[in-house]
Amino acid sequence: MKSKGGRPAHVTATVVGKLEEAFLMGCTDIEACLFAGINRDVLYDYQKKNPEFSDRKEQLKQNPFLLARGV
């Protein structure tokens, strides 16, 4: 199912992978959603239904800081 504008209205394994890749690079929620091709509301709905993903997202967002500290 697609939302208005042709973006997926739900989160697939491919979308999760793209979101995780973006968060690993330190992207904001908006940037990650653009990269994954979803609407921000879709991300937030997914997080509500999958609280473990919210924890994972926060861990991934910290990665650029850890890398920078190691340099």
mmCIF file with all atom_site columns, all heavy atoms in Angstrom, residues 14-37:
data_model
loop_
_atom_site.group_PDB
_atom_site.id
_atom_site.type_symbol
_atom_site.label_atom_id
_atom_site.label_alt_id
_atom_site.label_comp_id
_atom_site.label_asym_id
_atom_site.label_entity_id
_atom_site.label_seq_id
_atom_site.pdbx_PDB_ins_code
_atom_site.Cartn_x
_atom_site.Cartn_y
_atom_site.Cartn_z
_atom_site.occupancy
_atom_site.B_iso_or_equiv
_atom_site.pdbx_formal_charge
_atom_site.auth_seq_id
_atom_site.auth_comp_id
_atom_site.auth_asym_id
_atom_site.auth_atom_id
_atom_site.pdbx_PDB_model_num
ATOM 1   N N   . THR A 1 14 ? 13.263 -3.855 4.234  1.00 0.00 ? 14 THR A N   1
ATOM 2   C CA  . THR A 1 14 ? 14.139 -2.990 3.432  1.00 0.00 ? 14 THR A CA  1
ATOM 3   C C   . THR A 1 14 ? 14.146 -1.573 3.985  1.00 0.00 ? 14 THR A C   1
ATOM 4   O O   . THR A 1 14 ? 15.207 -0.944 4.096  1.00 0.00 ? 14 THR A O   1
ATOM 5   C CB  . THR A 1 14 ? 13.685 -2.983 1.959  1.00 0.00 ? 14 THR A CB  1
ATOM 6   O OG1 . THR A 1 14 ? 13.729 -4.325 1.460  1.00 0.00 ? 14 THR A OG1 1
ATOM 7   C CG2 . THR A 1 14 ? 14.567 -2.093 1.104  1.00 0.00 ? 14 THR A CG2 1
ATOM 8   N N   . VAL A 1 15 ? 12.982 -1.085 4.348  1.00 0.00 ? 15 VAL A N   1
ATOM 9   C CA  . VAL A 1 15 ? 12.873 0.267  4.916  1.00 0.00 ? 15 VAL A CA  1
ATOM 10  C C   . VAL A 1 15 ? 13.615 0.338  6.246  1.00 0.00 ? 15 VAL A C   1
ATOM 11  O O   . VAL A 1 15 ? 14.352 1.298  6.500  1.00 0.00 ? 15 VAL A O   1
ATOM 12  C CB  . VAL A 1 15 ? 11.393 0.681  5.066  1.00 0.00 ? 15 VAL A CB  1
ATOM 13  C CG1 . VAL A 1 15 ? 11.258 1.958  5.879  1.00 0.00 ? 15 VAL A CG1 1
ATOM 14  C CG2 . VAL A 1 15 ? 10.747 0.857  3.700  1.00 0.00 ? 15 VAL A CG2 1
ATOM 15  N N   . VAL A 1 16 ? 13.449 -0.672 7.095  1.00 0.00 ? 16 VAL A N   1
ATOM 16  C CA  . VAL A 1 16 ? 14.168 -0.699 8.383  1.00 0.00 ? 16 VAL A CA  1
ATOM 17  C C   . VAL A 1 16 ? 15.671 -0.655 8.133  1.00 0.00 ? 16 VAL A C   1
ATOM 18  O O   . VAL A 1 16 ? 16.395 0.087  8.805  1.00 0.00 ? 16 VAL A O   1
ATOM 19  C CB  . VAL A 1 16 ? 13.787 -1.944 9.220  1.00 0.00 ? 16 VAL A CB  1
ATOM 20  C CG1 . VAL A 1 16 ? 14.721 -2.102 10.414 1.00 0.00 ? 16 VAL A CG1 1
ATOM 21  C CG2 . VAL A 1 16 ? 12.350 -1.853 9.692  1.00 0.00 ? 16 VAL A CG2 1
ATOM 22  N N   . GLY A 1 17 ? 16.148 -1.416 7.168  1.00 0.00 ? 17 GLY A N   1
ATOM 23  C CA  . GLY A 1 17 ? 17.578 -1.408 6.846  1.00 0.00 ? 17 GLY A CA  1
ATOM 24  C C   . GLY A 1 17 ? 18.067 -0.043 6.423  1.00 0.00 ? 17 GLY A C   1
ATOM 25  O O   . GLY A 1 17 ? 19.137 0.402  6.844  1.00 0.00 ? 17 GLY A O   1
ATOM 26  N N   . LYS A 1 18 ? 17.281 0.643  5.606  1.00 0.00 ? 18 LYS A N   1
ATOM 27  C CA  . LYS A 1 18 ? 17.665 1.989  5.168  1.00 0.00 ? 18 LYS A CA  1
ATOM 28  C C   . LYS A 1 18 ? 17.633 2.979  6.324  1.00 0.00 ? 18 LYS A C   1
ATOM 29  O O   . LYS A 1 18 ? 18.501 3.846  6.444  1.00 0.00 ? 18 LYS A O   1
ATOM 30  C CB  . LYS A 1 18 ? 16.755 2.458  4.030  1.00 0.00 ? 18 LYS A CB  1
ATOM 31  C CG  . LYS A 1 18 ? 17.039 1.754  2.727  1.00 0.00 ? 18 LYS A CG  1
ATOM 32  C CD  . LYS A 1 18 ? 16.211 2.341  1.618  1.00 0.00 ? 18 LYS A CD  1
ATOM 33  C CE  . LYS A 1 18 ? 16.614 1.713  0.294  1.00 0.00 ? 18 LYS A CE  1
ATOM 34  N NZ  . LYS A 1 18 ? 16.023 2.429  -0.836 1.00 0.00 ? 18 LYS A NZ  1
ATOM 35  N N   . LEU A 1 19 ? 16.618 2.858  7.181  1.00 0.00 ? 19 LEU A N   1
ATOM 36  C CA  . LEU A 1 19 ? 16.549 3.733  8.352  1.00 0.00 ? 19 LEU A CA  1
ATOM 37  C C   . LEU A 1 19 ? 17.764 3.522  9.248  1.00 0.00 ? 19 LEU A C   1
ATOM 38  O O   . LEU A 1 19 ? 18.401 4.492  9.686  1.00 0.00 ? 19 LEU A O   1
ATOM 39  C CB  . LEU A 1 19 ? 15.269 3.479  9.142  1.00 0.00 ? 19 LEU A CB  1
ATOM 40  C CG  . LEU A 1 19 ? 13.963 3.945  8.514  1.00 0.00 ? 19 LEU A CG  1
ATOM 41  C CD1 . LEU A 1 19 ? 12.772 3.385  9.273  1.00 0.00 ? 19 LEU A CD1 1
ATOM 42  C CD2 . LEU A 1 19 ? 13.904 5.466  8.461  1.00 0.00 ? 19 LEU A CD2 1
ATOM 43  N N   . GLU A 1 20 ? 18.100 2.257  9.504  1.00 0.00 ? 20 GLU A N   1
ATOM 44  C CA  . GLU A 1 20 ? 19.250 1.964  10.360 1.00 0.00 ? 20 GLU A CA  1
ATOM 45  C C   . GLU A 1 20 ? 20.540 2.489  9.743  1.00 0.00 ? 20 GLU A C   1
ATOM 46  O O   . GLU A 1 20 ? 21.390 3.037  10.450 1.00 0.00 ? 20 GLU A O   1
ATOM 47  C CB  . GLU A 1 20 ? 19.339 0.468  10.620 1.00 0.00 ? 20 GLU A CB  1
ATOM 48  C CG  . GLU A 1 20 ? 18.253 -0.029 11.542 1.00 0.00 ? 20 GLU A CG  1
ATOM 49  C CD  . GLU A 1 20 ? 18.336 -1.505 11.855 1.00 0.00 ? 20 GLU A CD  1
ATOM 50  O OE1 . GLU A 1 20 ? 19.040 -2.250 11.134 1.00 0.00 ? 20 GLU A OE1 1
ATOM 51  O OE2 . GLU A 1 20 ? 17.692 -1.931 12.832 1.00 0.00 ? 20 GLU A OE2 1
ATOM 52  N N   . GLU A 1 21 ? 20.680 2.352  8.437  1.00 0.00 ? 21 GLU A N   1
ATOM 53  C CA  . GLU A 1 21 ? 21.872 2.871  7.755  1.00 0.00 ? 21 GLU A CA  1
ATOM 54  C C   . GLU A 1 21 ? 21.962 4.384  7.923  1.00 0.00 ? 21 GLU A C   1
ATOM 55  O O   . GLU A 1 21 ? 23.037 4.928  8.212  1.00 0.00 ? 21 GLU A O   1
ATOM 56  C CB  . GLU A 1 21 ? 21.814 2.500  6.280  1.00 0.00 ? 21 GLU A CB  1
ATOM 57  C CG  . GLU A 1 21 ? 23.027 2.921  5.480  1.00 0.00 ? 21 GLU A CG  1
ATOM 58  C CD  . GLU A 1 21 ? 22.931 2.525  4.017  1.00 0.00 ? 21 GLU A CD  1
ATOM 59  O OE1 . GLU A 1 21 ? 22.030 1.760  3.636  1.00 0.00 ? 21 GLU A OE1 1
ATOM 60  O OE2 . GLU A 1 21 ? 23.781 3.010  3.243  1.00 0.00 ? 21 GLU A OE2 1
ATOM 61  N N   . ALA A 1 22 ? 20.845 5.066  7.754  1.00 0.00 ? 22 ALA A N   1
ATOM 62  C CA  . ALA A 1 22 ? 20.829 6.528  7.888  1.00 0.00 ? 22 ALA A CA  1
ATOM 63  C C   . ALA A 1 22 ? 21.137 6.955  9.321  1.00 0.00 ? 22 ALA A C   1
ATOM 64  O O   . ALA A 1 22 ? 21.925 7.884  9.543  1.00 0.00 ? 22 ALA A O   1
ATOM 65  C CB  . ALA A 1 22 ? 19.475 7.072  7.446  1.00 0.00 ? 22 ALA A CB  1
ATOM 66  N N   . PHE A 1 23 ? 20.523 6.274  10.301 1.00 0.00 ? 23 PHE A N   1
ATOM 67  C CA  . PHE A 1 23 ? 20.784 6.630  11.698 1.00 0.00 ? 23 PHE A CA  1
ATOM 68  C C   . PHE A 1 23 ? 22.234 6.359  12.072 1.00 0.00 ? 23 PHE A C   1
ATOM 69  O O   . PHE A 1 23 ? 22.826 7.089  12.855 1.00 0.00 ? 23 PHE A O   1
ATOM 70  C CB  . PHE A 1 23 ? 19.831 5.892  12.630 1.00 0.00 ? 23 PHE A CB  1
ATOM 71  C CG  . PHE A 1 23 ? 18.399 6.357  12.506 1.00 0.00 ? 23 PHE A CG  1
ATOM 72  C CD1 . PHE A 1 23 ? 17.369 5.435  12.428 1.00 0.00 ? 23 PHE A CD1 1
ATOM 73  C CD2 . PHE A 1 23 ? 18.078 7.707  12.468 1.00 0.00 ? 23 PHE A CD2 1
ATOM 74  C CE1 . PHE A 1 23 ? 16.052 5.852  12.312 1.00 0.00 ? 23 PHE A CE1 1
ATOM 75  C CE2 . PHE A 1 23 ? 16.770 8.136  12.349 1.00 0.00 ? 23 PHE A CE2 1
ATOM 76  C CZ  . PHE A 1 23 ? 15.750 7.200  12.272 1.00 0.00 ? 23 PHE A CZ  1
ATOM 77  N N   . LEU A 1 24 ? 22.816 5.342  11.488 1.00 0.00 ? 24 LEU A N   1
ATOM 78  C CA  . LEU A 1 24 ? 24.224 5.025  11.731 1.00 0.00 ? 24 LEU A CA  1
ATOM 79  C C   . LEU A 1 24 ? 25.134 6.146  11.236 1.00 0.00 ? 24 LEU A C   1
ATOM 80  O O   . LEU A 1 24 ? 26.209 6.373  11.776 1.00 0.00 ? 24 LEU A O   1
ATOM 81  C CB  . LEU A 1 24 ? 24.574 3.702  11.048 1.00 0.00 ? 24 LEU A CB  1
ATOM 82  C CG  . LEU A 1 24 ? 25.890 3.042  11.404 1.00 0.00 ? 24 LEU A CG  1
ATOM 83  C CD1 . LEU A 1 24 ? 25.977 2.748  12.889 1.00 0.00 ? 24 LEU A CD1 1
ATOM 84  C CD2 . LEU A 1 24 ? 26.041 1.753  10.614 1.00 0.00 ? 24 LEU A CD2 1
ATOM 85  N N   . MET A 1 25 ? 24.684 6.857  10.201 1.00 0.00 ? 25 MET A N   1
ATOM 86  C CA  . MET A 1 25 ? 25.448 7.987  9.665  1.00 0.00 ? 25 MET A CA  1
ATOM 87  C C   . MET A 1 25 ? 25.166 9.278  10.429 1.00 0.00 ? 25 MET A C   1
ATOM 88  O O   . MET A 1 25 ? 25.722 10.332 10.113 1.00 0.00 ? 25 MET A O   1
ATOM 89  C CB  . MET A 1 25 ? 25.113 8.196  8.190  1.00 0.00 ? 25 MET A CB  1
ATOM 90  C CG  . MET A 1 25 ? 25.584 7.091  7.298  1.00 0.00 ? 25 MET A CG  1
ATOM 91  S SD  . MET A 1 25 ? 25.320 7.440  5.542  1.00 0.00 ? 25 MET A SD  1
ATOM 92  C CE  . MET A 1 25 ? 23.545 7.302  5.392  1.00 0.00 ? 25 MET A CE  1
ATOM 93  N N   . GLY A 1 26 ? 24.261 9.199  11.432 1.00 0.00 ? 26 GLY A N   1
ATOM 94  C CA  . GLY A 1 26 ? 23.958 10.380 12.232 1.00 0.00 ? 26 GLY A CA  1
ATOM 95  C C   . GLY A 1 26 ? 22.840 11.238 11.684 1.00 0.00 ? 26 GLY A C   1
ATOM 96  O O   . GLY A 1 26 ? 22.689 12.385 12.086 1.00 0.00 ? 26 GLY A O   1
ATOM 97  N N   . CYS A 1 27 ? 22.037 10.688 10.773 1.00 0.00 ? 27 CYS A N   1
ATOM 98  C CA  . CYS A 1 27 ? 20.936 11.447 10.190 1.00 0.00 ? 27 CYS A CA  1
ATOM 99  C C   . CYS A 1 27 ? 19.843 11.730 11.211 1.00 0.00 ? 27 CYS A C   1
ATOM 100 O O   . CYS A 1 27 ? 19.639 10.960 12.150 1.00 0.00 ? 27 CYS A O   1
ATOM 101 C CB  . CYS A 1 27 ? 20.318 10.672 9.027  1.00 0.00 ? 27 CYS A CB  1
ATOM 102 S SG  . CYS A 1 27 ? 21.387 10.531 7.586  1.00 0.00 ? 27 CYS A SG  1
ATOM 103 N N   . THR A 1 28 ? 19.135 12.814 10.994 1.00 0.00 ? 28 THR A N   1
ATOM 104 C CA  . THR A 1 28 ? 17.954 13.129 11.791 1.00 0.00 ? 28 THR A CA  1
ATOM 105 C C   . THR A 1 28 ? 16.814 12.216 11.341 1.00 0.00 ? 28 THR A C   1
ATOM 106 O O   . THR A 1 28 ? 16.923 11.525 10.320 1.00 0.00 ? 28 THR A O   1
ATOM 107 C CB  . THR A 1 28 ? 17.520 14.588 11.575 1.00 0.00 ? 28 THR A CB  1
ATOM 108 O OG1 . THR A 1 28 ? 17.112 14.737 10.203 1.00 0.00 ? 28 THR A OG1 1
ATOM 109 C CG2 . THR A 1 28 ? 18.639 15.562 11.910 1.00 0.00 ? 28 THR A CG2 1
ATOM 110 N N   . ASP A 1 29 ? 15.709 12.250 12.074 1.00 0.00 ? 29 ASP A N   1
ATOM 111 C CA  . ASP A 1 29 ? 14.544 11.462 11.675 1.00 0.00 ? 29 ASP A CA  1
ATOM 112 C C   . ASP A 1 29 ? 14.075 11.856 10.275 1.00 0.00 ? 29 ASP A C   1
ATOM 113 O O   . ASP A 1 29 ? 13.762 10.999 9.451  1.00 0.00 ? 29 ASP A O   1
ATOM 114 C CB  . ASP A 1 29 ? 13.395 11.645 12.668 1.00 0.00 ? 29 ASP A CB  1
ATOM 115 C CG  . ASP A 1 29 ? 13.640 10.950 13.999 1.00 0.00 ? 29 ASP A CG  1
ATOM 116 O OD1 . ASP A 1 29 ? 14.690 10.285 14.156 1.00 0.00 ? 29 ASP A OD1 1
ATOM 117 O OD2 . ASP A 1 29 ? 12.777 11.073 14.878 1.00 0.00 ? 29 ASP A OD2 1
ATOM 118 N N   . ILE A 1 30 ? 14.013 13.145 10.002 1.00 0.00 ? 30 ILE A N   1
ATOM 119 C CA  . ILE A 1 30 ? 13.561 13.623 8.691  1.00 0.00 ? 30 ILE A CA  1
ATOM 120 C C   . ILE A 1 30 ? 14.491 13.137 7.591  1.00 0.00 ? 30 ILE A C   1
ATOM 121 O O   . ILE A 1 30 ? 14.042 12.646 6.555  1.00 0.00 ? 30 ILE A O   1
ATOM 122 C CB  . ILE A 1 30 ? 13.450 15.164 8.677  1.00 0.00 ? 30 ILE A CB  1
ATOM 123 C CG1 . ILE A 1 30 ? 12.347 15.617 9.637  1.00 0.00 ? 30 ILE A CG1 1
ATOM 124 C CG2 . ILE A 1 30 ? 13.191 15.690 7.270  1.00 0.00 ? 30 ILE A CG2 1
ATOM 125 C CD1 . ILE A 1 30 ? 12.297 17.113 9.865  1.00 0.00 ? 30 ILE A CD1 1
ATOM 126 N N   . GLU A 1 31 ? 15.789 13.265 7.803  1.00 0.00 ? 31 GLU A N   1
ATOM 127 C CA  . GLU A 1 31 ? 16.760 12.816 6.798  1.00 0.00 ? 31 GLU A CA  1
ATOM 128 C C   . GLU A 1 31 ? 16.678 11.312 6.577  1.00 0.00 ? 31 GLU A C   1
ATOM 129 O O   . GLU A 1 31 ? 16.721 10.837 5.437  1.00 0.00 ? 31 GLU A O   1
ATOM 130 C CB  . GLU A 1 31 ? 18.178 13.195 7.230  1.00 0.00 ? 31 GLU A CB  1
ATOM 131 C CG  . GLU A 1 31 ? 18.428 14.685 7.239  1.00 0.00 ? 31 GLU A CG  1
ATOM 132 C CD  . GLU A 1 31 ? 19.696 15.065 7.983  1.00 0.00 ? 31 GLU A CD  1
ATOM 133 O OE1 . GLU A 1 31 ? 20.153 14.312 8.871  1.00 0.00 ? 31 GLU A OE1 1
ATOM 134 O OE2 . GLU A 1 31 ? 20.237 16.160 7.674  1.00 0.00 ? 31 GLU A OE2 1
ATOM 135 N N   . ALA A 1 32 ? 16.528 10.556 7.656  1.00 0.00 ? 32 ALA A N   1
ATOM 136 C CA  . ALA A 1 32 ? 16.434 9.101  7.549  1.00 0.00 ? 32 ALA A CA  1
ATOM 137 C C   . ALA A 1 32 ? 15.178 8.700  6.781  1.00 0.00 ? 32 ALA A C   1
ATOM 138 O O   . ALA A 1 32 ? 15.220 7.781  5.956  1.00 0.00 ? 32 ALA A O   1
ATOM 139 C CB  . ALA A 1 32 ? 16.444 8.468  8.929  1.00 0.00 ? 32 ALA A CB  1
ATOM 140 N N   . CYS A 1 33 ? 14.088 9.383  7.037  1.00 0.00 ? 33 CYS A N   1
ATOM 141 C CA  . CYS A 1 33 ? 12.841 9.079  6.324  1.00 0.00 ? 33 CYS A CA  1
ATOM 142 C C   . CYS A 1 33 ? 12.966 9.392  4.836  1.00 0.00 ? 33 CYS A C   1
ATOM 143 O O   . CYS A 1 33 ? 12.487 8.614  4.003  1.00 0.00 ? 33 CYS A O   1
ATOM 144 C CB  . CYS A 1 33 ? 11.678 9.852  6.933  1.00 0.00 ? 33 CYS A CB  1
ATOM 145 S SG  . CYS A 1 33 ? 11.191 9.226  8.556  1.00 0.00 ? 33 CYS A SG  1
ATOM 146 N N   . LEU A 1 34 ? 13.594 10.487 4.516  1.00 0.00 ? 34 LEU A N   1
ATOM 147 C CA  . LEU A 1 34 ? 13.828 10.810 3.101  1.00 0.00 ? 34 LEU A CA  1
ATOM 148 C C   . LEU A 1 34 ? 14.683 9.732  2.445  1.00 0.00 ? 34 LEU A C   1
ATOM 149 O O   . LEU A 1 34 ? 14.396 9.283  1.336  1.00 0.00 ? 34 LEU A O   1
ATOM 150 C CB  . LEU A 1 34 ? 14.508 12.175 2.959  1.00 0.00 ? 34 LEU A CB  1
ATOM 151 C CG  . LEU A 1 34 ? 13.635 13.382 3.210  1.00 0.00 ? 34 LEU A CG  1
ATOM 152 C CD1 . LEU A 1 34 ? 14.482 14.655 3.269  1.00 0.00 ? 34 LEU A CD1 1
ATOM 153 C CD2 . LEU A 1 34 ? 12.575 13.509 2.134  1.00 0.00 ? 34 LEU A CD2 1
ATOM 154 N N   . PHE A 1 35 ? 15.721 9.300  3.132  1.00 0.00 ? 35 PHE A N   1
ATOM 155 C CA  . PHE A 1 35 ? 16.622 8.266  2.620  1.00 0.00 ? 35 PHE A CA  1
ATOM 156 C C   . PHE A 1 35 ? 15.876 6.948  2.421  1.00 0.00 ? 35 PHE A C   1
ATOM 157 O O   . PHE A 1 35 ? 16.090 6.250  1.427  1.00 0.00 ? 35 PHE A O   1
ATOM 158 C CB  . PHE A 1 35 ? 17.788 8.087  3.594  1.00 0.00 ? 35 PHE A CB  1
ATOM 159 C CG  . PHE A 1 35 ? 18.811 7.091  3.152  1.00 0.00 ? 35 PHE A CG  1
ATOM 160 C CD1 . PHE A 1 35 ? 19.679 7.377  2.102  1.00 0.00 ? 35 PHE A CD1 1
ATOM 161 C CD2 . PHE A 1 35 ? 18.928 5.869  3.787  1.00 0.00 ? 35 PHE A CD2 1
ATOM 162 C CE1 . PHE A 1 35 ? 20.631 6.454  1.691  1.00 0.00 ? 35 PHE A CE1 1
ATOM 163 C CE2 . PHE A 1 35 ? 19.877 4.943  3.392  1.00 0.00 ? 35 PHE A CE2 1
ATOM 164 C CZ  . PHE A 1 35 ? 20.729 5.239  2.332  1.00 0.00 ? 35 PHE A CZ  1
ATOM 165 N N   . ALA A 1 36 ? 14.978 6.621  3.355  1.00 0.00 ? 36 ALA A N   1
ATOM 166 C CA  . ALA A 1 36 ? 14.241 5.353  3.298  1.00 0.00 ? 36 ALA A CA  1
ATOM 167 C C   . ALA A 1 36 ? 12.984 5.439  2.431  1.00 0.00 ? 36 ALA A C   1
ATOM 168 O O   . ALA A 1 36 ? 12.369 4.418  2.137  1.00 0.00 ? 36 ALA A O   1
ATOM 169 C CB  . ALA A 1 36 ? 13.860 4.908  4.708  1.00 0.00 ? 36 ALA A CB  1
ATOM 170 N N   . GLY A 1 37 ? 12.602 6.657  2.056  1.00 0.00 ? 37 GLY A N   1
ATOM 171 C CA  . GLY A 1 37 ? 11.440 6.828  1.192  1.00 0.00 ? 37 GLY A CA  1
ATOM 172 C C   . GLY A 1 37 ? 10.106 6.680  1.908  1.00 0.00 ? 37 GLY A C   1
ATOM 173 O O   . GLY A 1 37 ? 9.132  6.215  1.320  1.00 0.00 ? 37 GLY A O   1
#
